Amino acid sequence: QVDLHSADPYSKRRYFVDAHSGKIISEFPLIMEQGVPSTAKTRYYGVRNIVTDSLGPQNFVLQDPTRGEGIFIYNSETGSTFTNTSSHWDLTNADGDEIATDAHFCTQEYYDMMLADYDWRGQDGNGKAFIANVHAGDFVNAFWNGESTTYGDGDCNYGPLTTLEVVGHEFTHGVVDYTSKLIYSGESGAINES
């Protein structure tokens, strides 16, 4: 039995590890958070089912505590999370905040696909949290920085790249970091990018 505590993101979890293989047999949170079935109006995918966290009555945050150590979506402009007074999320506004629900939905889909198809939990295979940053500036790009993914707001010709294909691509750079560690240069860089 191993208890892990982290400061950023704040978490406490208990793991049971097979002493022979080192594989995690079971895990559960030590902080009683509430994963709430929710809906989200997204920019690219319409209304989708998601899971968010409830901090209290009419106080929801765009985080998912039910998948590994969690899924966290941050606003790069403010460094804060996205909050709502309802479990139905419609962040559509002039700032384009609805891309946060796209990033959240796509990250949950990526997590579920990696678990179902490859028995891969979280960013590192052992439940490490997925962190995504939106509103990183007026540019058409997305990237993995070694700890999290970041998405620009697009420009006058192209929208933000918070689509399932791009979100999955960027988080897969993280999986590469935790597995084969392909150097981002030459042939290994080309494999990493593909």
Side-chain angles (χ1 to χ4, degrees), residues 6-172:
S6 65
D8 186 20
Y10 183 76
S11 178
K12 293 181 180 180
R13 297 188 71 79
R14 176 162 292 157
Y15 297 87
F16 292 92
V17 181
D18 184 294
H20 297 287
S21 69
K23 186 169 176 82
I24 295 174
I25 299 168
S26 179
E27 67 177 275
F28 57 90
L30 295 175
I31 297 173
M32 301 306 126
E33 298 174 292
Q34 181 63 46
V36 178
S38 304
T39 58
K41 183 177 181 185
T42 66
R43 179 184 182 116
Y44 297 117
Y45 301 101
V47 176
R48 293 296 182 148
N49 293 322
I50 62 172
V51 174
T52 59
D53 199 0
S54 174
L55 304 177
Q58 299 176 331
N59 187 4
F60 299 86
V61 64
L62 195 58
Q63 298 174 353
D64 179 351
T66 68
R67 288 170 168 88
E69 294 174 353
I71 293 172
F72 300 86
I73 310 299
Y74 292 99
N75 184 333
S76 290
E77 294 176 330
T78 63
S80 62
T81 57
F82 291 87
T83 60
N84 203 25
T85 59
S86 165
S87 62
H88 174 71
W89 292 76
D90 183 355
L91 300 179
T92 306
N93 59 24
D95 294 330
D97 284 346
E98 67 274 11
I99 65 171
T101 55
D102 279 274
H104 189 82
F105 165 71
C106 293
T107 304
Q108 288 183 335
E109 289 291 299
Y110 180 75
Y111 181 99
D112 292 349
M113 182 274 304
M114 292 296 286
L115 181 60
D117 293 352
Y118 304 106
D119 196 30
W120 188 264
R121 288 172 172 77
Q123 189 64 66
D124 63 354
N126 291 313
K128 184 173 175 65
F130 283 103
I131 301 170
N133 304 287
V134 298
H135 290 318
D138 293 333
F139 61 90
V140 183
N141 204 352
F143 57 87
W144 166 256
N145 69 8
E147 290 294 323
S148 63
T149 59
T150 300
Y151 306 90
D153 284 338
D155 62 16
C156 60
N157 295 312
Y158 298 97
L161 299 180
T162 52
T163 63
L164 186 55
E165 294 82 359
V166 176
V167 169
H169 172 93
E170 297 307 335
F171 278 121
T172 300

Side-chain angles (χ1 to χ4, degrees), residues 169 173 181-186 188-190 192-193:
H169 172 93
H173 283 305
K181 301 184 186 313
L182 293 170
I183 297 169
Y184 202 71
S185 176
S188 64
N192 190 340
E193 193 56 44

